Amino acid sequence: MFAYQFKHVIPISLNEASTLIPVASLSTEYIVKDWCCAGQNLVEEQQDGLKSQVTLVGIHDGTVADVTVTVATEDGTNIEAMDAGGVLHVDLDEGVVVQIRPLEYNTGLDGTSVDSDLPIAIFVSHPLAFVPPTTMV
């Protein structure tokens, strides 16, 4: 199920979408698909806020997840920075959220794998992506 939100902000309108996923359809195995690039012409101060991210959300108490990253990642709340190929071991309870972001701007987490002993939700997002018009996705 998709939910579309329309915001009218003078002088432009914005269109955003969300995917509503029933808990019964969640999985214990995921491979991340990510489009990494927001563009090349941003100043350094803009770049940090435009990194992609993978968000894990616990559905059941006592869930254990292992995340194998494909690129170096930055540290965050309750997680350490990792090198490419590193494995992050995460303990998740219901409603607990963990966000993982790449260390470098214009790199994505594409191909990162997530395996857990109980179903979890994962979301891949970024605030801005530039997909050239000639790119097949």
Side-chain angles (χ1 to χ4, degrees):
M1 177 184 305
F2 291 96
Y4 294 96
Q5 301 99 27
F6 297 98
K7 283 192 260 183
H8 183 68
V9 181
I10 307 293
I12 61 170
S13 294
L14 303 172
N15 180 9
E16 299 173 352
S18 298
T19 303
L20 307 177
I21 305 169
V23 170
S25 68
L26 298 177
S27 179
T28 60
E29 298 178 348
Y30 295 93
I31 300 291
V32 171
K33 183 64 182 155
D34 182 19
W35 183 269
C36 72
C37 305
Q40 304 294 328
N41 299 323
L42 299 173
V43 295
E44 190 170 329
E45 293 79 28
Q46 295 173 312
Q47 294 175 359
D48 187 60
L50 295 177
K51 292 179 181 177
S52 64
Q53 65 185 19
V54 173
T55 303
L56 286 66
V57 181
I59 304 301
H60 304 284
D61 289 342
T63 302
V64 176
D66 289 319
V67 182
T68 305
V69 296
T70 53
V71 297
T73 62
E74 59 186 36
D75 62 345
T77 305
N78 298 322
I79 62 170
E80 296 180 9
M82 292 177 289
D83 293 326
V87 179
L88 172 66
H89 179 80
V90 181
D91 295 316
L92 295 168
D93 286 328
E94 181 179 0
V96 171
V97 175
V98 173
Q99 293 179 323
I100 303 167
R101 292 177 11 131
L103 182 62
E104 299 294 329
Y105 173 72
N106 266 350
T107 60
L109 293 156
D110 195 53
T112 291
S113 65
V114 181
D115 297 292
S116 61
D117 63 341
L118 295 169
I120 62 172
I122 72 162
F123 302 91
V124 181
S125 63
H126 45 78
L128 174 67
F130 173 71
V131 181
T134 57
T135 302
M136 297 294 291
V137 292

